Amino acid sequence: MTAVLGGCGLTGGSDDVTLRLVAADYGDSAANSSKKYWAKLVDAYEAEHPGVRVEVGVYSWNDVDREVKEMVDAGRAPDMAQIGAYADYAADDLLYTADDLLSIPVQAGFSSALAQAGQVNGVQYGMPFAASTRLLFYNKELFEEAGLGAPTTWKELAAAAEALKAEGVTYPYALPLGPEEAQAETMQWLLSGGGGYTDAVGTYTIDSAENIATFSWLRDELVGKELTGPVAPGKLDRADAFAAFAQGEVGMLNGHPSLMKTAQRHGVEFGMVPMPGVDGEAKATVGVADWMLAFKQNGHKDQVGDFLDFVYSEKNVLDFSRRYDLLPVTNSASEVMGAASQDQDLKPFLDELALAELYPVGKTSWAAVSADVKKRIGSAVEPGGSPSAILSQLQSTATTADSSAAG
């Protein structure tokens, strides 16, 4: 990426400006790298705005957050960053607000759940860029062999897992609580049990009675009855669970849209249903979003705002979402996708977006809490494990991290 240093960013006449954007790569090969998406978009934008150049640096998800942090720490903040989190930069007063940048129609056009997740104290700093939700995937062939229908309650899920085990299925229900992405599986189960990481006003409630009951049920009714497969949940990562599903070894697991193509490539016929709850469909599902943020350092507010209005046009949002099997973050693009025959595979996930709850990403404490969940939560469902003790430890981490952030 060509560095534009200083903070003026002037590249010619007094009206010429170069904007720098650092973005994450959603592709899994050079052929579908996000570099191609951004190159096409920037070419179209620059053709209409001869006084503005946009330089885009694309990095893998393993590197992009660190790259941005190093740039900011070195006093070379990019104008924009499309990354996984925004709260720390907002807390340090480094970011423009969405109000500062976007036209009213664009800002009002975000999905309300996603826009709210981008707020700190009621002010939006994080602009949602990509989203996904989770559904319960099940192997149709294994279910038919066991004479099963898709479960709608926890009791039905456990009974299905028993029947799958009797048929010799390796992972009747795959429960990935390993360190890769335990925070997602955990949140999905907490929500399906009527709880969650936080309450309606954003206070951590990790050790609530509902959450303890949920993990006690998992320990006793799934893990304790050997219905979660040969690998202990605390050692099973999401990627390995997905790979096992694609090999036909998993009866059920929570998955996001990328699992569809993986399963299809391996010839696995699957169904997808909303996550079961205690007495019926869960009232909420996990939503995950990635974020666009804009740094104040270089002072290009007007140009950044104009460029982001272009980025969030219906056409560009749809192009990106379709390219990477992700959900649109704007209402207009969601309506188009919901009605288009080419997008029917994604429609079940899109329908869940209205019910989605996101991680408490507006809290600077969330990174510490998420890391502790990944470290500890698997032991809560081990035989003899104590959900109340583990969830209390996590609550303590959350309370301490929240206090430190406030201080």
Side-chain angles (χ1 to χ4, degrees):
M1 185 174 81
T2 304
V4 181
L5 303 177
C8 59
L10 300 180
T11 58
S14 60
D15 294 330
D16 290 349
V17 170
T18 296
L19 301 178
R20 293 174 300 144
L21 165 64
V22 176
D25 196 346
Y26 289 81
D28 55 13
S29 67
N32 70 346
S33 169
S34 295
K35 291 178 183 178
K36 294 191 173 183
Y37 170 79
W38 286 112
K40 178 184 173 185
L41 184 147
V42 166
D43 283 348
Y45 182 78
E46 289 181 346
E48 297 177 9
H49 301 80
V52 180
R53 290 185 61 231
V54 183
E55 296 175 349
V56 184
V58 175
Y59 297 88
S60 79
W61 273 110
N62 293 332
D63 301 324
V64 67
D65 289 276
R66 185 186 70 251
E67 289 284 346
V68 172
K69 184 177 187 305
E70 289 176 356
M71 291 175 192
V72 173
D73 290 348
R76 300 186 293 107
D79 294 283
M80 294 161 284
Q82 186 271 298
I83 53 178
Y86 65 87
D88 285 342
Y89 299 122
D92 291 338
D93 194 29
L94 299 178
L95 302 180
Y96 287 118
T97 69
D99 281 341
D100 291 330
L101 300 167
L102 301 177
S103 66
I104 291 172
V106 169
Q107 189 177 0
F110 288 128
S111 158
S112 59
L114 299 176
Q116 188 171 358
Q119 295 177 0
V120 177
N121 298 323
V123 178
Q124 186 179 356
Y125 294 92
M127 292 162 277
F129 184 76
S132 69
T133 54
R134 305 295 166 104
L135 290 169
L136 183 73
F137 282 67
Y138 63 95
N139 182 309
K140 282 188 173 181
E141 183 178 346
L142 297 179
F143 265 60
E144 286 169 9
E145 289 173 356
L148 297 169
T152 60
T153 66
W154 284 6
K155 186 176 180 180
E156 290 177 3
L157 187 149
E162 289 271 17
L164 292 164
K165 180 185 177 187
E167 292 286 325
V169 175
T170 306
Y171 294 88
Y173 178 87
L175 183 66
L177 296 176
E180 180 196 353
E181 205 187 32
Q183 81 283 4
E185 184 75 10
T186 296
M187 185 171 177
Q188 185 67 75
W189 277 99
L190 296 182
L191 291 172
S192 72
Y197 287 123
T198 60
D199 62 17
V201 296
T203 303
Y204 284 112
T205 53
I206 299 173
D207 60 351
S208 69
E210 294 88 350
N211 292 345
I212 292 171
T214 293
F215 268 80
S216 297
W217 187 88
L218 285 172
R219 179 196 62 191
D220 298 340
E221 301 301 323
L222 289 186
V223 182
K225 294 182 178 178
E226 299 182 347
L227 302 178
T228 54
V231 179
K235 298 190 184 313
L236 181 65
D237 281 338
R238 176 193 57 81
D240 295 332
F242 278 19
F245 187 82
Q247 296 300 322
E249 299 174 349
V250 174
M252 300 171 278
L253 83 171
N254 282 311
H256 50 63
S258 72
L259 183 55
M260 293 190 298
K261 284 190 175 177
T262 304
Q264 288 164 350
R265 276 200 304 270
H266 288 80
V268 174
E269 284 194 45
F270 58 89
M272 302 180 299
V273 293
M275 177 66 179
V278 179
D279 300 312
E281 181 182 328
K283 295 187 173 47
T285 188
V286 171
V288 179
D290 302 321
W291 304 97
M292 179 72 75
L293 43 153
F295 290 91
K296 295 192 288 188
Q297 179 183 331
N298 302 315
H300 297 145
K301 181 178 74 170
D302 292 344
Q303 293 89 350
V304 168
D306 189 70
F307 177 68
L308 290 179
D309 277 353
F310 183 78
V311 167
Y312 285 109
S313 69
E314 182 180 291
K315 174 181 177 293
N316 288 328
V317 171
L318 277 170
D319 183 17
F320 180 84
S321 301
R322 286 168 170 162
R323 197 177 287 228
Y324 298 109
D325 284 330
L326 291 162
L327 303 181
V329 296
T330 65
N331 295 321
S332 66
S334 295
E335 288 170 10
V336 173
M337 182 175 275
S341 58
Q342 74 184 90
D343 300 314
Q344 289 311 292
D345 281 356
L346 284 170
K347 193 172 186 306
F349 295 95
L350 194 60
D351 291 342
E352 289 293 293
L353 191 57
L355 304 172
E357 287 193 23
L358 281 76
Y359 304 131
V361 289
K363 290 174 165 286
T364 56
S365 55
W366 170 242
V369 174
S370 177
D372 209 30
V373 169
K374 293 175 183 180
K375 177 181 174 184
R376 297 180 187 273
I377 198 65
S379 61
V381 297
E382 291 174 353
S386 173
S388 61
I390 296 299
L391 294 174
S392 292
Q393 289 171 343
L394 292 171
Q395 178 67 31
S396 178
T397 295
T399 302
T400 301
D402 243 4
S403 299
S404 299

